[in-house]
């Protein structure tokens, strides 16, 4: 069975990928900065190192048949040196449409046996509202911006399939949730399922940027996110059926995601 290097294994999507690969019988290796804090299954081979260090990537990739690549920065600077150290088979977590720096990294991988997994907005980003939700008031820009949010478990399911089956080489999969849902409707869903009322208040563009920067967001991300949200009021993110086509089951709804993460909003998950 294949040996797969997972970069980003300790993240919310990466942990599902690790679980899926192990369940399929693959040998899993993870590049992690602090192995003693990785909290990954005992079967996972941990390689200490930083993604910004090509030598560490080389050590982690030695003998691997494939790699899952998550690039956590909002610039492709340094990516070429890292890509050069990866196995020939790479599944890359890109973004819907493959634009921006994500597209630049896709180009770096075009001489490899690549698969691009291009998700829409991550439902898990709603966790950023958790603290505000507990106060009963959430302030956001563009409440009517609509995204086809995808469960991190569905992203992982597609990535695992691509990593273990060469039929996916050369494919760019645009994957989304099953519906485009506005930010205010996302919050209404959370309120309904948690039983806690939530009042939504709008933010100006500048207020939204400053709030993101205060939370440690990359300035490039803050600027691009606010601009993007503004477009989603009249042009919601598209909805695809790719998750169903590849996995044989429907993509998870946002309501399902909320139930799976109810505890994060201060409510026990009762299934």
């Amino acid at each position: 069975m294949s040996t797969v290097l997972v970069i980003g294994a300790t993240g919310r999507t990466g942990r599902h990928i690790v679980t899926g690969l192990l369940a399929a019988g693959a040998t899993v290796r993870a590049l992690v900065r602090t192995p003693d804090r990785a909290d990954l299954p005992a079967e996972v081979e941990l390689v200490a190192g930083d993604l910004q260090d090509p030598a560490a990537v080389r050590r982690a990739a030695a003998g691997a048949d494939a790699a899952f690549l998550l690039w956590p920065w909002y610039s492709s600077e340094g990516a070429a040196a890292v890509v050069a150290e990866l196995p020939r088979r790479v599944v890359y977590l890109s973004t819907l449409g493959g634009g921006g720096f994500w597209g630049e990294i896709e180009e770096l991988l075009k001489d490899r046996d690549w698969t691009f997994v291009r998700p829409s907005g991550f439902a898990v980003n709603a966790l950023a509202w958790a603290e505000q939700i507990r106060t009963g008031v959430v302030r956001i820009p563009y409440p009517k911006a609509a995204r086809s949010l995808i469960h991190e478990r569905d992203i992982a399911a597609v990535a695992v399939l691509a990593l273990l089956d060469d039929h996916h080489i050369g494919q760019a999969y645009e994957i989304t949730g099953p519906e485009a849902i506005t930010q205010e409707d996302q919050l209404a869903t959370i309120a309904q399922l948690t039983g806690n009322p939530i009042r939504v208040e709008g933010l100006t563009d500048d207020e939204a940027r400053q709030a993101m920067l205060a939370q440690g967001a990359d300035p490039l991300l803050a600027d691009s996110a606010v601009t993007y949200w503004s477009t989603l009021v009249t042009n919601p993110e598209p909805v695809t059926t790719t998750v169903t086509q590849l996995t044989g089951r429907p993509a998870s709804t946002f309501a399902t995601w909320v139930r799976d993460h109810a505890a994060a909003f201060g409510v026990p998950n009762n299934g």
Side-chain angles (χ1 to χ4, degrees):
M1 181 56 77
S2 298
T3 295
V4 180
L5 168 64
V6 179
I7 294 174
T10 60
R12 293 188 177 98
T13 301
R15 290 184 183 279
H16 285 286
I17 291 172
V18 168
T19 300
L21 289 170
L22 290 174
T27 298
V28 179
R29 187 180 300 160
L31 176 67
V32 294
R33 285 193 293 266
T34 51
D36 58 330
R37 295 170 54 190
D39 193 28
L40 290 169
E43 307 97 301
V44 178
E45 178 187 350
L46 303 179
V47 178
D50 193 292
L51 181 56
Q52 291 179 305
D53 178 5
V57 177
R58 185 185 314 124
R59 291 195 305 273
D65 300 293
F68 172 80
L69 174 62
L70 181 152
W71 188 257
W73 299 285
Y74 292 92
S75 164
S76 62
E77 183 178 357
V82 169
V83 166
E85 303 298 343
L86 295 175
R88 180 163 185 80
R89 179 79 180 100
V90 179
V91 174
Y92 169 54
L93 186 63
S94 185
T95 193
L96 204 64
F101 77 88
W102 292 277
E104 294 170 4
I105 295 176
E106 287 187 3
E107 286 301 315
L108 293 174
L109 291 164
K110 285 293 181 69
D111 64 347
R112 301 298 178 102
D113 292 336
W114 55 267
T115 303
F116 302 145
V117 178
R118 295 174 171 174
S120 56
F122 287 29
V124 74
N125 289 339
L127 291 176
W129 293 333
E131 185 175 346
Q132 292 188 78
I133 285 170
R134 286 190 283 271
T135 72
V137 179
V138 177
R139 303 183 70 225
I140 54 174
Y142 301 103
K144 294 189 180 298
R147 306 199 69 178
S148 49
L149 299 176
I150 186 167
H151 198 306
E152 63 273 16
R153 185 173 58 216
D154 291 337
I155 300 171
V158 171
V160 169
L161 289 173
L163 285 162
L164 298 179
D165 188 340
D166 286 349
H167 286 95
H168 300 287
I169 290 173
Q171 299 296 316
Y173 292 127
E174 307 264 333
I175 58 174
T176 74
E179 59 192 341
I181 180 170
T182 66
Q183 295 196 101
E184 62 184 4
D185 284 344
Q186 293 167 43
L187 288 162
T189 300
I190 294 171
Q192 178 184 7
L193 294 176
T194 62
N196 296 327
I198 300 171
R199 186 173 79 251
V200 179
E201 296 181 354
L203 290 176
T204 66
D205 287 6
D206 187 59
E207 288 172 334
R209 289 189 186 93
Q210 293 306 316
M212 292 184 70
L213 293 174
Q215 294 173 356
D218 185 289
L220 291 175
L221 170 63
D223 289 340
S224 63
V226 173
T227 300
Y228 183 53
W229 289 329
S230 72
T231 69
L232 297 178
V233 175
T234 55
N235 294 291
E237 280 184 336
V239 174
T240 72
T241 59
T242 309
V243 170
T244 300
Q245 292 168 2
L246 293 174
T247 68
R249 58 170 178 75
S252 302
T253 64
F254 183 71
T256 295
W257 179 88
V258 174
R259 293 187 188 97
D260 288 344
H261 296 79
F265 301 109
V267 178
N269 184 350
N270 296 316

